[in-house]
Amino acid sequence: GFKGIIAVLDALKKNKNVALANKESLVVGGALVTEEAKNRGLKIIPIDSEHSAIFQALDFDVTRPFERLILTASGGAFRDYTEKQLASATAKDALKHPNWNMGAKITVDCATLVNKAFEVTEAKWLYNAPFDKIEVIVHRESIVHSMVGFKDGSVIAQMSYPTMEIPISLALSYPERLVSNVSGLDFEKLGKLTFEPLDRKRFPCFDLVVNAAKAGGGYPAVANGANEAAVALFLKDKIGYNDIYNAISGALDSYRAEKIIDYEGYKAADEFGANFVKNKYGV
């Protein structure tokens, strides 16, 4: 969550490269974190499987020109739910991720597609990418972890079975690759790989959070704080699935933009989002 930014900034101030697993650091304080790294000549090496894939496709060079970044999404536990089914979906349902075994918070974020919106925001900061060059495609099998398109029309993808062992190992051993226990893909047994558009109508949290990122300033922090608080309540069965969207939307609508220049400013915006949700639902 948001608290991870403290450790990230502390590591950078100690002149350490950072293998980054805490996406909220860039979602909330991307400008702060990347500026600190740039000023000190340090690297931020992504651990998210999607961003590790892009990092690899760019040949470990985040300044390499590209035409588009294509983030893949499994679609989460609710990828086949109808709008009616989503209205009554429970936390227990949301935690049944089809491909990955993760913590409860991020698994719910995958179900709402907030996690994918966070990854779009990460892409902006990690690769200095304009939002109009970042795409998301649903890829149910989680074999292609993300892709990079270049101006000659070619697309480079990074592929493996769904496991975090590869991106974690690579981030720690970069620029070398270590031998792992992960099996290489058996293409004869792999079967069909599918790609389909993200259904923004069924998963409105995606555009809501991406638009907060586009607005910049404190808006991404407000969205993050509201989402953290709402997901915590959802996991305790105190609010419904659709209330997560309502909570984030309400917090963003209530926030008045302020110029933010330091950690304390981002912290205040994050707390605004969280407190809005707690007050809204009487917690």
Side-chain angles (χ1 to χ4, degrees):
F2 172 75
K3 291 180 181 178
I5 194 174
I6 299 171
V8 173
L9 289 173
D10 187 54
L12 293 172
K13 288 173 182 176
K14 287 182 169 62
N15 291 312
K16 304 292 184 182
N17 293 323
V18 174
L20 185 67
N22 177 253
K23 65 188 65 185
E24 289 85 353
S25 296
L26 293 180
V27 170
V28 172
L32 197 63
V33 170
T34 54
E35 187 67 18
E36 187 72 35
K38 180 181 178 182
N39 290 341
R40 294 175 179 272
L42 298 170
K43 294 183 182 296
I44 297 174
I45 305 164
I47 284 181
D48 263 349
S49 61
E50 294 83 356
H51 288 301
S52 177
I54 290 171
F55 189 50
Q56 292 176 66
L58 290 171
D59 199 22
F60 303 139
D61 181 0
V62 297
T63 67
R64 174 162 291 184
F66 57 83
E67 285 301 298
R68 54 186 180 141
L69 305 178
I70 307 160
L71 297 168
T72 57
S74 69
F78 297 151
R79 62 192 183 190
D80 293 319
Y81 275 47
T82 64
E83 288 184 61
K84 183 177 180 180
Q85 288 174 314
L86 286 171
S88 59
T90 67
K92 185 177 180 180
D93 298 327
L95 295 177
K96 297 175 182 176
H97 196 286
N99 301 352
W100 297 90
N101 181 18
M102 305 177 289
K105 161 65 165 57
I106 193 171
T107 305
V108 173
D109 285 348
C110 286
T112 61
L113 272 294
V114 165
N115 185 60
K116 202 53 55 177
F118 281 175
E119 289 171 5
V120 169
T121 311
E122 281 186 284
K124 166 187 165 53
W125 295 111
L126 286 168
Y127 313 109
N128 193 29
F131 283 107
D132 62 2
K133 286 192 173 185
I134 307 169
E135 304 172 15
V136 173
I137 192 81
V138 174
H139 170 54
R140 292 169 176 261
E141 297 78 19
S142 294
I143 296 295
V144 175
H145 297 292
S146 278
M147 300 170 272
V148 178
F150 297 93
K151 63 182 179 181
D152 63 354
S154 63
V155 175
I156 294 179
Q158 186 269 332
M159 306 169 67
S160 71
Y161 292 116
T163 173
M164 287 305 299
E165 291 178 60
I166 293 173
I168 292 172
S169 172
L170 184 60
L172 297 177
S173 66
Y174 161 86
E176 303 299 325
R177 291 181 184 269
L178 301 180
V179 175
S180 77
N181 292 320
V182 179
S183 299
L185 291 173
D186 186 333
F187 287 94
E188 290 185 2
K189 297 179 180 179
L190 199 56
K192 183 170 66 173
L193 300 181
T194 61
F195 301 92
E196 57 195 90
L198 187 155
D199 189 335
R200 286 170 157 80
K201 184 179 179 183
R202 280 191 299 135
F203 301 101
C205 284
F206 176 80
D207 280 334
L208 183 66
V209 175
V210 169
N211 286 335
K214 290 178 179 178
Y219 284 103
V222 172
N224 179 72
N227 180 66
E228 281 193 24
V231 170
L233 293 175
F234 177 64
L235 286 168
K236 295 177 182 177
D237 296 320
K238 292 187 175 181
I239 64 173
Y241 172 83
N242 287 337
D243 290 322
I244 298 174
Y245 172 86
N246 296 332
I248 302 170
S249 179
L252 290 170
D253 288 343
S254 299
Y255 179 66
R256 294 295 172 263
E258 298 178 14
K259 185 177 181 179
I260 298 180
I261 59 173
D262 56 16
Y263 164 78
E264 292 300 327
Y266 290 114
K267 180 182 178 183
D270 187 84
E271 289 175 345
F272 176 93
N275 289 333
F276 175 89
V277 175
K278 293 172 183 177
N279 293 332
K280 178 179 176 68
Y281 294 103
V283 178

